[in-house]
């Protein structure tokens, strides 16, 4: 089959499918193109198989792309969760403070906390937020892989029922 015949065949199949989409019966389409109703049905089935294959490929490609994006998000969230975040207030790092002795106006010793000294306080809110988001990403990951699909279970208990019907002579 040469290229021109292939093009003619493809155009003809497209015309057959167009008529079917517009509601013509297989017999009507067959008469119009001089082919059997069975051949029209075969063309339709081949087209549906191509569509199904394309849909499967598109779905698989989407799933792989989505899994790659989710993996990157998981890595980013793990970095956030593993990092130490300092508590900041008013643009300054909040510190635990260091106890010290200061003197008031009468030169009396007073116990105070020097807020500029001591260990910085750790902020756990970003870690908790990252972990919460990580759980949502893991949930989406499971759904994409079909891990949350319902499982079909067959339950049998060995119970039998017996029905007895009275005949007309027993009534």
């Amino acid at each position: 089959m040469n290229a021109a015949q292939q093009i003619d065949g493809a155009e003809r199949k497209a015309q057959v499918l167009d008529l079917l989409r517009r509601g013509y019966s297989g017999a009507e389409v067959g008469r119009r193109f001089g082919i059997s109703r069975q051949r029209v049905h075969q063309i339709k089935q081949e087209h549906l198989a191509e569509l199904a294959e394309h849909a499967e490929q598109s779905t698989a490609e989407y799933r792989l792309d989505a899994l790659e994006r989710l993996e990157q998000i998981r890595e980013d969230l793990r970095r956030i969760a593993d990092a130490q975040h300092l508590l900041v207030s008013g643009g300054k790092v909040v510190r635990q403070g260091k106890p010290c002795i200061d003197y008031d106006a009468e030169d009396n010793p007073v116990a105070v906390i020097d807020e500029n000294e001591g260990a910085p306080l750790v902020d756990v809110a970003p870690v908790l937020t990252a972990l919460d988001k990580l759980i949502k990403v893991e949930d989406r990951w499971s759904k994409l892989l079909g891990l949350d699909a319902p499982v079909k279970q067959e339950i049998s208990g060995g119970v039998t029922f017996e029905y007895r019907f009275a005949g007309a002579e027993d009534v």
Side-chain angles (χ1 to χ4, degrees):
M1 181 183 293
N2 65 27
Q5 289 173 328
Q6 286 179 337
I7 291 171
D8 287 343
E11 286 177 8
R12 192 169 157 167
K13 285 181 182 180
Q15 291 170 349
V16 165
L17 293 169
D18 182 56
L19 289 177
L20 290 172
R21 274 189 218 101
R22 293 181 3 200
Y24 287 85
S25 72
E28 291 171 314
V29 173
R31 278 194 299 277
R32 204 174 253 209
F33 287 96
I35 57 177
S36 69
R37 183 179 53 80
Q38 289 81 8
R39 177 63 184 136
V40 171
H41 180 74
Q42 183 183 15
I43 290 170
K44 179 181 172 183
Q45 292 306 108
E46 288 170 359
H47 178 68
L48 291 174
E50 288 172 9
L51 288 176
E53 182 179 334
H54 180 69
E56 285 178 26
Q57 288 173 349
S58 296
T59 301
E61 289 170 7
Y62 167 78
R63 185 175 286 121
L64 286 175
D65 289 345
L67 289 172
E68 286 177 14
R69 287 190 308 272
L70 287 173
E71 181 58 31
Q72 183 60 50
I73 293 168
R74 285 167 62 177
E75 289 174 13
D76 293 344
L77 288 170
R78 283 192 192 107
R79 274 195 299 280
I80 292 169
D82 291 342
Q84 183 178 16
H85 304 275
L86 300 180
L87 187 60
V88 176
S89 179
K92 292 174 59 177
V93 173
V94 177
R95 296 182 173 275
Q96 198 170 17
K98 181 178 177 185
C100 62
I101 303 294
D102 199 2
Y103 296 92
D104 63 14
E106 285 96 37
D107 215 19
N108 295 320
V110 179
V112 293
I113 303 290
D114 184 355
E115 294 178 2
N116 295 323
E117 295 291 326
L121 295 179
V122 175
D123 188 1
V124 296
V127 174
L128 294 176
T129 301
L131 292 175
D132 181 56
K133 300 291 183 200
L134 189 57
I135 289 169
K136 291 177 181 176
V137 167
E138 294 290 339
D139 183 51
R140 182 68 183 130
W141 184 277
S142 295
K143 286 178 183 173
L144 277 171
L145 292 177
L147 300 177
D148 295 341
V151 177
K152 185 177 180 181
Q153 296 180 351
E154 186 175 315
I155 301 172
S156 63
V159 177
T160 57
F161 293 94
E162 183 177 317
Y163 296 96
R164 295 180 188 219
F165 297 95
E169 65 276 350
D170 295 334
V171 178

